[in-house]
């Protein structure tokens, strides 16, 4: 594949959270799609910085240098689509926090009315903010989120004490 042809990506943040084995697999996938992985930031060569948050100096410098700064969600979407695209999804934007929002750490969130790719995106957004996704309605839920006009489950959840 040539999806990432001409792209030199630098991966930051992720090596702190994933094993070397996983990061090596990411490198293989990037190379299989025509890209290269940089081991240090050089604005003359690096075209993309892939990061989780906006907390690092490299993130700030890459923005100043006009580089594409995005997340692994973007990389995944490009690889799956086998087509280069600009970051366009909220999950493609690095967060303003490193490990989730403290207020969300103990939250359990369920969703209904989302299907397919949209459901995956919503579940990922829940995890990114530091909350726990659960597929069931119960009294332990902090909140339920609905797509469209499917309000019956919120009502049922309210009857259960939420």
């Amino acid at each position: 594949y040539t999806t990432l042809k001409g792209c030199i990506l630098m991966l930051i943040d992720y090596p702190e959270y994933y094993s070397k084995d996983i990061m090596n697999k990411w490198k293989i996938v990037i190379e299989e799609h025509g890209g290269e992985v940089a081991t240090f930031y050089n604005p003359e060569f690096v075209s993309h910085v892939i990061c989780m948050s906006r907390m690092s100096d490299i993130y700030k410098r890459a923005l100043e240098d006009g580089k594409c700064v995005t997340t692994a969600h973007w990389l995944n979407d490009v690889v799956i689509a086998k087509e280069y695209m600009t970051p366009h999804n909220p999950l493609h934007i690095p967060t303003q926090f490193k490990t989730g929002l403290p207020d969300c750490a103990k939250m359990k969130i369920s969703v209904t009315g989302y299907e397919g790719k949209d459901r995956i995106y919503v579940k990922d957004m829940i995890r990114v903010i530091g909350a726990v996704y659960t597929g069931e309605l119960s009294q332990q839920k902090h909140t339920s989120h609905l797509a469209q006009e499917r309000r019956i489950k919120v009502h049922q959840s309210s009857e259960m004490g939420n």
Side-chain angles (χ1 to χ4, degrees), residues 3-134:
T3 310
L4 296 170
K5 186 175 182 172
C7 297
I8 301 174
L9 294 80
M10 179 169 188
L11 304 168
I12 60 172
D13 298 335
Y14 296 100
E16 297 173 37
Y17 297 94
Y18 295 100
S19 69
K20 282 187 178 187
D21 186 45
I22 299 258
M23 296 310 299
N24 284 334
K25 287 178 183 176
W26 286 21
K27 183 179 181 201
I28 290 167
V29 169
I30 289 166
E31 290 171 349
E32 285 176 347
H33 287 80
E36 296 177 47
V37 176
T39 56
F40 63 93
Y41 183 72
N42 180 336
E44 292 182 33
F45 300 108
V46 171
S47 60
H48 294 70
V49 171
I50 310 296
C51 58
M52 297 169 76
S53 76
R54 302 176 191 176
M55 305 299 288
S56 75
D57 290 335
I58 293 174
Y59 165 85
K60 294 169 190 163
R61 178 140 182 241
L63 275 185
E64 289 170 4
D65 294 336
K67 303 302 176 183
C68 179
V69 182
T70 188
T71 66
H73 285 93
W74 169 83
L75 180 60
N76 185 64
D77 289 349
V78 166
V79 166
I80 288 172
K82 295 182 178 96
E83 167 181 0
Y84 184 88
M85 63 185 82
T86 58
H88 63 279
N89 179 303
L91 289 169
H92 297 170
I93 302 167
T95 63
Q96 294 181 358
F97 44 86
K98 195 132 183 159
T99 58
L101 299 168
D103 293 341
C104 296
K106 295 181 182 175
M107 288 183 136
K108 291 182 179 178
I109 300 174
S110 63
V111 298
T112 188
Y114 295 93
E115 296 178 6
K117 198 172 188 178
D118 289 338
R119 186 172 188 82
I120 293 168
Y121 283 145
V122 171
K123 287 165 63 173
D124 283 347
M125 285 185 215
I126 290 167
R127 290 183 187 110
V128 164
I129 64 168
V132 174
Y133 167 80
T134 180

